[in-house]
Amino acid sequence: MSGVGKKVADVAFKASKSIDWDGMAKMIVTEEARKEFSSLRRAFEEVNSTLQTKFSQEPEPIDWEYYRKGLGSRIVDSYKEYYESVEIPKFVDKTTPEYKPKFDALLVELKEAEQKSLKESERLEKEIAEVQELKKKLSTMTADEYFEKHPELKQKFDDEIRNDYWGY
């Protein structure tokens, strides 16, 4: 097979190799999203399979002699001439150059958002660990130990006491 169909099948095959389905599946948290992701993956695999089977095969050559016997050589030669004169135009991709810069800009933006998200996740993980540690120690912790970890609260309480503000 040659031409556009083979190119489409090759691109689809390469794309399926580069998709990290398992990695993406690990990021999904809700059950509804898992179902949607499953149906997306299934649909992609069906389309990819169709492209691989339908467009990756060469068409069978026409047996002109068989048709000459049944129809006569004049009409078959005419069809053969028309068949061989058909030129299938090559596909010229005019869309990709238009959207490639936008896509690349979105990828850069995505990487930045990913880095921000990872930093925020790291910060939140630390905060969760601190809160869990505090929760364990809370029953035996003194006020001085607590204020040692949170000096801004100690300052706030000291200011309230100094200003004779007791919260009423």
Side-chain angles (χ1 to χ4, degrees):
M1 169 189 209
S2 61
V4 178
K6 181 151 180 62
K7 186 172 183 175
V8 168
D10 289 344
V11 168
F13 181 72
K14 287 176 186 173
S16 70
K17 292 275 186 195
S18 66
I19 296 175
D20 182 13
W21 293 105
D22 295 331
M24 286 193 288
K26 289 177 186 173
M27 292 187 209
I28 298 173
V29 289
T30 66
E31 196 58 40
E32 183 180 345
R34 285 187 224 284
K35 289 177 185 175
E36 290 294 323
F37 182 74
S38 256
S39 63
L40 172 68
R41 185 174 184 178
R42 203 171 22 261
F44 179 85
E45 288 171 354
E46 286 174 14
V47 168
N48 196 27
S49 173
T50 302
L51 287 173
Q52 288 300 313
T53 56
K54 196 172 192 178
F55 294 113
S56 65
Q57 301 169 357
E58 289 286 335
E60 292 185 26
I62 298 173
D63 183 7
W64 297 108
E65 291 305 316
Y66 170 80
Y67 292 107
R68 272 195 187 90
K69 290 176 188 170
L71 297 173
S73 66
R74 215 168 97 199
I75 193 164
V76 172
D77 288 341
S78 172
Y79 274 102
K80 184 177 180 182
E81 181 182 328
Y82 288 128
Y83 178 79
E84 290 174 351
S85 70
V86 171
E87 288 185 28
I88 299 174
K90 289 213 171 211
F91 174 72
V92 178
D93 186 5
K94 297 176 185 173
T95 307
T96 300
E98 180 182 337
Y99 288 100
K100 181 88 169 114
K102 293 176 186 176
F103 182 75
D104 290 342
L106 285 173
L107 281 178
V108 168
E109 194 176 313
L110 173 73
K111 291 291 182 189
E112 291 171 357
E114 179 185 26
Q115 291 303 319
K116 285 181 184 176
S117 174
L118 289 173
K119 286 178 184 175
E120 183 65 13
S121 292
E122 190 176 304
R123 185 190 70 76
L124 290 173
E125 289 293 331
K126 286 179 183 176
E127 190 174 321
I128 289 170
E130 288 175 6
V131 168
Q132 287 177 339
E133 181 183 330
L134 181 63
K135 185 178 174 183
K136 288 178 187 175
K137 294 180 179 179
L138 196 58
S139 63
T140 60
M141 182 182 281
T142 65
D144 288 335
E145 290 172 335
Y146 184 80
F147 287 141
E148 195 175 293
K149 287 190 177 201
H150 303 284
E152 69 281 355
L153 283 176
K154 180 173 178 20
Q155 181 65 39
K156 178 183 171 196
F157 288 139
D158 287 345
D159 289 346
E160 288 177 358
I161 292 170
R162 224 177 288 115
N163 295 328
D164 204 26
Y165 176 74
W166 296 92
Y168 319 125

PDB file of all heavy atoms in Angstrom, residues 134 141-158 161:
ATOM      1  N   LEU A 134       1.594  16.803  64.576  1.00  0.00           N
ATOM      2  CA  LEU A 134       0.996  17.642  65.610  1.00  0.00           C
ATOM      3  C   LEU A 134      -0.184  16.930  66.264  1.00  0.00           C
ATOM      4  O   LEU A 134      -0.358  16.989  67.483  1.00  0.00           O
ATOM      5  CB  LEU A 134       0.552  18.977  65.003  1.00  0.00           C
ATOM      6  CG  LEU A 134      -0.072  19.991  65.947  1.00  0.00           C
ATOM      7  CD1 LEU A 134       0.942  20.428  66.997  1.00  0.00           C
ATOM      8  CD2 LEU A 134      -0.574  21.178  65.156  1.00  0.00           C
ATOM      9  N   MET A 141       1.455  17.821  74.415  1.00  0.00           N
ATOM     10  CA  MET A 141       2.214  19.036  74.116  1.00  0.00           C
ATOM     11  C   MET A 141       1.843  20.157  75.077  1.00  0.00           C
ATOM     12  O   MET A 141       0.684  20.331  75.437  1.00  0.00           O
ATOM     13  CB  MET A 141       1.920  19.461  72.670  1.00  0.00           C
ATOM     14  CG  MET A 141       2.685  20.675  72.226  1.00  0.00           C
ATOM     15  SD  MET A 141       2.258  21.148  70.545  1.00  0.00           S
ATOM     16  CE  MET A 141       3.207  19.977  69.628  1.00  0.00           C
ATOM     17  N   THR A 142       2.851  20.912  75.481  1.00  0.00           N
ATOM     18  CA  THR A 142       2.610  22.088  76.321  1.00  0.00           C
ATOM     19  C   THR A 142       2.407  23.304  75.420  1.00  0.00           C
ATOM     20  O   THR A 142       2.749  23.284  74.238  1.00  0.00           O
ATOM     21  CB  THR A 142       3.804  22.349  77.261  1.00  0.00           C
ATOM     22  OG1 THR A 142       4.945  22.687  76.463  1.00  0.00           O
ATOM     23  CG2 THR A 142       4.110  21.140  78.133  1.00  0.00           C
ATOM     24  N   ALA A 143       1.899  24.374  76.008  1.00  0.00           N
ATOM     25  CA  ALA A 143       1.684  25.608  75.248  1.00  0.00           C
ATOM     26  C   ALA A 143       3.019  26.157  74.748  1.00  0.00           C
ATOM     27  O   ALA A 143       3.117  26.648  73.619  1.00  0.00           O
ATOM     28  CB  ALA A 143       0.968  26.643  76.109  1.00  0.00           C
ATOM     29  N   ASP A 144       4.042  26.072  75.576  1.00  0.00           N
ATOM     30  CA  ASP A 144       5.360  26.571  75.164  1.00  0.00           C
ATOM     31  C   ASP A 144       5.882  25.811  73.941  1.00  0.00           C
ATOM     32  O   ASP A 144       6.445  26.408  73.024  1.00  0.00           O
ATOM     33  CB  ASP A 144       6.364  26.457  76.313  1.00  0.00           C
ATOM     34  CG  ASP A 144       6.086  27.477  77.421  1.00  0.00           C
ATOM     35  OD1 ASP A 144       5.478  28.525  77.093  1.00  0.00           O
ATOM     36  OD2 ASP A 144       6.473  27.224  78.571  1.00  0.00           O
ATOM     37  N   GLU A 145       5.682  24.490  73.922  1.00  0.00           N
ATOM     38  CA  GLU A 145       6.127  23.696  72.772  1.00  0.00           C
ATOM     39  C   GLU A 145       5.338  24.083  71.513  1.00  0.00           C
ATOM     40  O   GLU A 145       5.906  24.196  70.426  1.00  0.00           O
ATOM     41  CB  GLU A 145       5.935  22.194  73.051  1.00  0.00           C
ATOM     42  CG  GLU A 145       6.879  21.640  74.082  1.00  0.00           C
ATOM     43  CD  GLU A 145       6.544  20.203  74.467  1.00  0.00           C
ATOM     44  OE1 GLU A 145       5.362  19.798  74.329  1.00  0.00           O
ATOM     45  OE2 GLU A 145       7.453  19.494  74.909  1.00  0.00           O
ATOM     46  N   TYR A 146       4.059  24.318  71.679  1.00  0.00           N
ATOM     47  CA  TYR A 146       3.225  24.714  70.540  1.00  0.00           C
ATOM     48  C   TYR A 146       3.643  26.087  70.017  1.00  0.00           C
ATOM     49  O   TYR A 146       3.797  26.284  68.816  1.00  0.00           O
ATOM     50  CB  TYR A 146       1.744  24.724  70.934  1.00  0.00           C
ATOM     51  CG  TYR A 146       0.835  25.032  69.776  1.00  0.00           C
ATOM     52  CD1 TYR A 146       0.492  24.051  68.856  1.00  0.00           C
ATOM     53  CD2 TYR A 146       0.340  26.316  69.574  1.00  0.00           C
ATOM     54  CE1 TYR A 146      -0.331  24.325  67.776  1.00  0.00           C
ATOM     55  CE2 TYR A 146      -0.482  26.611  68.496  1.00  0.00           C
ATOM     56  CZ  TYR A 146      -0.809  25.604  67.598  1.00  0.00           C
ATOM     57  OH  TYR A 146      -1.606  25.884  66.527  1.00  0.00           O
ATOM     58  N   PHE A 147       3.843  27.036  70.944  1.00  0.00           N
ATOM     59  CA  PHE A 147       4.230  28.389  70.534  1.00  0.00           C
ATOM     60  C   PHE A 147       5.638  28.420  69.935  1.00  0.00           C
ATOM     61  O   PHE A 147       5.960  29.301  69.146  1.00  0.00           O
ATOM     62  CB  PHE A 147       4.125  29.368  71.701  1.00  0.00           C
ATOM     63  CG  PHE A 147       2.716  29.712  72.071  1.00  0.00           C
ATOM     64  CD1 PHE A 147       2.341  29.856  73.395  1.00  0.00           C
ATOM     65  CD2 PHE A 147       1.752  29.905  71.086  1.00  0.00           C
ATOM     66  CE1 PHE A 147       1.038  30.178  73.742  1.00  0.00           C
ATOM     67  CE2 PHE A 147       0.448  30.231  71.424  1.00  0.00           C
ATOM     68  CZ  PHE A 147       0.089  30.359  72.741  1.00  0.00           C
ATOM     69  N   GLU A 148       6.464  27.461  70.329  1.00  0.00           N
ATOM     70  CA  GLU A 148       7.805  27.357  69.746  1.00  0.00           C
ATOM     71  C   GLU A 148       7.699  27.068  68.242  1.00  0.00           C
ATOM     72  O   GLU A 148       8.463  27.588  67.445  1.00  0.00           O
ATOM     73  CB  GLU A 148       8.555  26.224  70.452  1.00  0.00           C
ATOM     74  CG  GLU A 148      10.049  26.220  70.216  1.00  0.00           C
ATOM     75  CD  GLU A 148      10.705  25.141  71.067  1.00  0.00           C
ATOM     76  OE1 GLU A 148      10.691  25.278  72.307  1.00  0.00           O
ATOM     77  OE2 GLU A 148      11.212  24.169  70.476  1.00  0.00           O
ATOM     78  N   LYS A 149       6.731  26.249  67.874  1.00  0.00           N
ATOM     79  CA  LYS A 149       6.533  25.910  66.456  1.00  0.00           C
ATOM     80  C   LYS A 149       5.743  26.990  65.727  1.00  0.00           C
ATOM     81  O   LYS A 149       5.843  27.117  64.512  1.00  0.00           O
ATOM     82  CB  LYS A 149       5.799  24.576  66.311  1.00  0.00           C
ATOM     83  CG  LYS A 149       6.662  23.397  66.642  1.00  0.00           C
ATOM     84  CD  LYS A 149       6.001  22.116  66.255  1.00  0.00           C
ATOM     85  CE  LYS A 149       6.950  20.983  66.543  1.00  0.00           C
ATOM     86  NZ  LYS A 149       6.647  19.807  65.802  1.00  0.00           N
ATOM     87  N   HIS A 150       4.932  27.773  66.465  1.00  0.00           N
ATOM     88  CA  HIS A 150       4.088  28.809  65.854  1.00  0.00           C
ATOM     89  C   HIS A 150       4.303  30.144  66.576  1.00  0.00           C
ATOM     90  O   HIS A 150       3.419  30.615  67.310  1.00  0.00           O
ATOM     91  CB  HIS A 150       2.614  28.401  65.931  1.00  0.00           C
ATOM     92  CG  HIS A 150       2.337  27.086  65.284  1.00  0.00           C
ATOM     93  ND1 HIS A 150       2.272  26.931  63.921  1.00  0.00           N
ATOM     94  CD2 HIS A 150       2.144  25.846  65.819  1.00  0.00           C
ATOM     95  CE1 HIS A 150       2.031  25.668  63.634  1.00  0.00           C
ATOM     96  NE2 HIS A 150       1.960  24.983  64.759  1.00  0.00           N
ATOM     97  N   PRO A 151       5.437  30.791  66.355  1.00  0.00           N
ATOM     98  CA  PRO A 151       5.728  32.045  67.076  1.00  0.00           C
ATOM     99  C   PRO A 151       4.755  33.179  66.724  1.00  0.00           C
ATOM    100  O   PRO A 151       4.531  34.072  67.543  1.00  0.00           O
ATOM    101  CB  PRO A 151       7.153  32.392  66.636  1.00  0.00           C
ATOM    102  CG  PRO A 151       7.422  31.575  65.421  1.00  0.00           C
ATOM    103  CD  PRO A 151       6.514  30.387  65.476  1.00  0.00           C
ATOM    104  N   GLU A 152       4.152  33.136  65.547  1.00  0.00           N
ATOM    105  CA  GLU A 152       3.211  34.200  65.167  1.00  0.00           C
ATOM    106  C   GLU A 152       1.975  34.170  66.064  1.00  0.00           C
ATOM    107  O   GLU A 152       1.413  35.227  66.392  1.00  0.00           O
ATOM    108  CB  GLU A 152       2.828  34.097  63.679  1.00  0.00           C
ATOM    109  CG  GLU A 152       1.962  32.907  63.295  1.00  0.00           C
ATOM    110  CD  GLU A 152       2.708  31.576  63.133  1.00  0.00           C
ATOM    111  OE1 GLU A 152       3.940  31.549  63.233  1.00  0.00           O
ATOM    112  OE2 GLU A 152       2.009  30.571  62.925  1.00  0.00           O
ATOM    113  N   LEU A 153       1.540  32.975  66.486  1.00  0.00           N
ATOM    114  CA  LEU A 153       0.392  32.885  67.405  1.00  0.00           C
ATOM    115  C   LEU A 153       0.761  33.407  68.795  1.00  0.00           C
ATOM    116  O   LEU A 153      -0.036  34.084  69.453  1.00  0.00           O
ATOM    117  CB  LEU A 153      -0.100  31.439  67.496  1.00  0.00           C
ATOM    118  CG  LEU A 153      -0.922  30.946  66.318  1.00  0.00           C
ATOM    119  CD1 LEU A 153      -1.273  29.476  66.494  1.00  0.00           C
ATOM    120  CD2 LEU A 153      -2.189  31.764  66.179  1.00  0.00           C
ATOM    121  N   LYS A 154       1.963  33.084  69.237  1.00  0.00           N
ATOM    122  CA  LYS A 154       2.423  33.573  70.543  1.00  0.00           C
ATOM    123  C   LYS A 154       2.439  35.093  70.540  1.00  0.00           C
ATOM    124  O   LYS A 154       1.973  35.733  71.490  1.00  0.00           O
ATOM    125  CB  LYS A 154       3.805  33.027  70.868  1.00  0.00           C
ATOM    126  CG  LYS A 154       4.324  33.502  72.223  1.00  0.00           C
ATOM    127  CD  LYS A 154       5.587  32.813  72.576  1.00  0.00           C
ATOM    128  CE  LYS A 154       6.213  33.227  73.876  1.00  0.00           C
ATOM    129  NZ  LYS A 154       5.483  33.875  74.883  1.00  0.00           N
ATOM    130  N   GLN A 155       2.939  35.670  69.430  1.00  0.00           N
ATOM    131  CA  GLN A 155       2.985  37.129  69.313  1.00  0.00           C
ATOM    132  C   GLN A 155       1.579  37.720  69.344  1.00  0.00           C
ATOM    133  O   GLN A 155       1.328  38.709  70.011  1.00  0.00           O
ATOM    134  CB  GLN A 155       3.703  37.521  68.011  1.00  0.00           C
ATOM    135  CG  GLN A 155       3.839  39.003  67.798  1.00  0.00           C
ATOM    136  CD  GLN A 155       4.716  39.656  68.843  1.00  0.00           C
ATOM    137  OE1 GLN A 155       5.725  39.094  69.252  1.00  0.00           O
ATOM    138  NE2 GLN A 155       4.305  40.831  69.309  1.00  0.00           N
ATOM    139  N   LYS A 156       0.649  37.064  68.641  1.00  0.00           N
ATOM    140  CA  LYS A 156      -0.733  37.546  68.591  1.00  0.00           C
ATOM    141  C   LYS A 156      -1.361  37.526  69.987  1.00  0.00           C
ATOM    142  O   LYS A 156      -1.995  38.501  70.410  1.00  0.00           O
ATOM    143  CB  LYS A 156      -1.546  36.669  67.636  1.00  0.00           C
ATOM    144  CG  LYS A 156      -2.995  37.047  67.541  1.00  0.00           C
ATOM    145  CD  LYS A 156      -3.754  36.092  66.641  1.00  0.00           C
ATOM    146  CE  LYS A 156      -5.235  36.361  66.755  1.00  0.00           C
ATOM    147  NZ  LYS A 156      -6.052  35.298  66.237  1.00  0.00           N
ATOM    148  N   PHE A 157      -1.168  36.418  70.722  1.00  0.00           N
ATOM    149  CA  PHE A 157      -1.742  36.320  72.067  1.00  0.00           C
ATOM    150  C   PHE A 157      -1.094  37.325  73.014  1.00  0.00           C
ATOM    151  O   PHE A 157      -1.767  37.950  73.830  1.00  0.00           O
ATOM    152  CB  PHE A 157      -1.597  34.902  72.609  1.00  0.00           C
ATOM    153  CG  PHE A 157      -2.500  33.908  71.952  1.00  0.00           C
ATOM    154  CD1 PHE A 157      -2.042  32.639  71.623  1.00  0.00           C
ATOM    155  CD2 PHE A 157      -3.819  34.219  71.659  1.00  0.00           C
ATOM    156  CE1 PHE A 157      -2.879  31.718  71.008  1.00  0.00           C
ATOM    157  CE2 PHE A 157      -4.661  33.296  71.057  1.00  0.00           C
ATOM    158  CZ  PHE A 157      -4.184  32.044  70.724  1.00  0.00           C
ATOM    159  N   ASP A 158       0.225  37.487  72.908  1.00  0.00           N
ATOM    160  CA  ASP A 158       0.913  38.454  73.766  1.00  0.00           C
ATOM    161  C   ASP A 158       0.400  39.867  73.501  1.00  0.00           C
ATOM    162  O   ASP A 158       0.198  40.652  74.438  1.00  0.00           O
ATOM    163  CB  ASP A 158       2.430  38.391  73.543  1.00  0.00           C
ATOM    164  CG  ASP A 158       3.047  37.136  74.155  1.00  0.00           C
ATOM    165  OD1 ASP A 158       2.376  36.476  74.976  1.00  0.00           O
ATOM    166  OD2 ASP A 158       4.210  36.810  73.795  1.00  0.00           O
ATOM    167  N   ILE A 161      -3.038  40.319  75.088  1.00  0.00           N
ATOM    168  CA  ILE A 161      -2.945  40.451  76.552  1.00  0.00           C
ATOM    169  C   ILE A 161      -2.429  41.845  76.906  1.00  0.00           C
ATOM    170  O   ILE A 161      -2.944  42.514  77.806  1.00  0.00           O
ATOM    171  CB  ILE A 161      -2.042  39.346  77.142  1.00  0.00           C
ATOM    172  CG1 ILE A 161      -2.733  37.993  76.989  1.00  0.00           C
ATOM    173  CG2 ILE A 161      -1.700  39.626  78.603  1.00  0.00           C
ATOM    174  CD1 ILE A 161      -1.855  36.804  77.304  1.00  0.00           C
TER     175      ILE A 161
END
